[in-house]
Amino acid sequence: MLVEFRNVSKSYRSGLMAVTGINLTIDKGEFVLLVGPSGAGKTTIMKMIYMDEFPTRGEVIVGRYSSKSIGGRKIAMLRRQVGVVFQEFRLLRDLTVFENIALPLRAAGKRESEIKKRVSNVLYSVGLSSKRHQFPLKLSGGEQQRVAIARAMALRPPLLLADEPTGNLDPDTSEQIFELLLDINRGGTSVLVATHEHDLAGRLGKRILRLDGGRLAGGGGDESCTS
Ligand SMILES: Nc1ncnc2c1ncn2[C@@H]1O[C@H](COP(=O)(O)OP(=O)(O)OP(=O)(O)O)[C@@H](O)[C@H]1O
Ligand SMILES: [Mg+2]
């Protein structure tokens, strides 16, 4: 799914400019890193992609949806095509691993037999088949994040957003999570990862968008290099 920002600026009610003059394109099947210090605007960009926030100026285009014309029902449709993963996992502690991953499938009205099949497949792909009946708080941080990734992938979205997915994890576990995200990308899903781990990001050899003070380095995303 194609993502395009056309001269996007966003200020919150406080009047502070969170991001300014953002132009960027993420092509189908791309793996892109969004790197920048705290307060740079990474989460703001993520939120505008799943249309939880809207530009003050400019336009965000995600697949066939535009920030200028999208409304309530279409936002729900868009979100079925965009998986989202957060730093703090956001799993429901009273539900098993299986039920956490089943949630978006149930919300989308999938049949029980289909849900069983899909949850099994996606749990297998994150290497956690044996934990299906466990509760989230019994899992390690890395395992919880893998469950969150499995949940985000349950509807097989063409785009996966991960906002500081390794912010609460140790370096080895972080590497494993990045490996998993690369694996998902090899399966054809576009992936955008926000992180301030620029060393790790640099080693991946993928396109890096550098954000600082709400602006992309060079004023746009086109010159950004792999390293
Ligand atoms: N809901 C909000 N209301 C007002 N200001 C906000 C809001 N969310 C973010 N901001 C401000 O917008 C700017 C960008 O914030 P954002 O959360 O996008 O940064 P970030 O790069 O994700 O930072 P971090 O690495 O700490 O998560 C910051 O100055 C922040 O204080
Ligand atoms: Mg953030």
Side-chain angles (χ1 to χ4, degrees):
M1 178 144 66
L2 191 89
V3 176
E4 200 180 335
F5 279 53
R6 293 185 183 162
N7 204 18
V8 170
S9 298
K10 163 82 186 165
S11 63
Y12 287 101
R13 265 183 218 143
S14 58
L16 178 125
M17 269 322 213
V19 298
T20 309
I22 303 289
N23 286 291
L24 66 84
T25 303
I26 300 169
D27 283 324
K28 279 184 190 169
E30 244 197 313
F31 188 108
V32 179
L33 293 142
L34 184 59
V35 178
S38 183
K42 303 181 295 295
T43 297
T44 300
I45 286 181
M46 293 289 192
K47 284 183 171 171
M48 286 194 283
I49 296 174
Y50 60 93
M51 307 227 186
D52 193 27
E53 294 286 354
F54 289 88
T56 312
R57 264 199 229 148
E59 181 177 17
V60 176
I61 296 163
V62 183
R64 51 200 180 85
Y65 304 99
S66 162
S67 61
K68 289 194 166 171
S69 56
I70 199 167
R73 203 172 54 86
K74 282 188 178 167
I75 291 177
M77 286 164 70
L78 164 76
R79 293 206 184 141
R80 286 182 189 178
Q81 296 182 53
V82 183
V84 188
V85 175
F86 305 93
Q87 174 171 346
E88 66 282 9
F89 320 136
R90 298 195 192 176
L91 299 171
L92 297 180
R93 62 169 72 190
D94 296 332
L95 296 182
T96 62
V97 164
F98 182 98
E99 287 303 330
N100 266 281
I101 299 170
L103 274 181
L105 297 165
R106 294 198 199 287
K110 300 289 176 199
R111 280 197 281 174
E112 200 56 37
S113 56
E114 174 75 7
I115 290 173
K116 283 202 172 116
K117 201 161 57 183
R118 286 226 200 173
V119 174
S120 297
N121 287 345
V122 76
L123 263 178
Y124 179 79
S125 67
V126 301
L128 287 177
S129 298
S130 64
K131 306 282 186 183
R132 56 192 291 138
H133 300 304
Q134 197 58 271
F135 286 91
L137 295 180
K138 295 269 172 81
L139 302 179
S140 71
E143 288 169 342
Q144 289 182 56
Q145 192 58 296
R146 276 146 68 196
V147 173
I149 292 169
R151 180 180 58 185
M153 291 305 295
L155 283 168
R156 300 183 191 135
L159 174 64
L160 177 65
L161 306 176
D163 191 356
E164 308 255 10
T166 62
N168 288 343
L169 304 174
D170 64 63
D172 283 350
T173 311
S174 296
E175 293 236 16
Q176 288 168 19
I177 293 296
F178 271 99
E179 276 307 321
L180 177 57
L181 294 172
L182 287 167
D183 216 47
I184 286 168
N185 175 246
R186 280 189 283 269
T189 305
S190 310
V191 178
L192 176 65
V193 190
T195 180
H196 35 229
E197 296 196 52
H198 32 76
D199 292 349
L200 207 162
R203 272 184 273 132
L204 297 180
K206 297 294 185 184
R207 183 154 73 105
I208 297 179
L209 300 173
R210 293 184 197 282
L211 194 63
D212 202 355
R215 292 175 190 272
L216 281 176
D222 299 337
E223 86 299 338
S224 53
C225 53
T226 55
S227 55

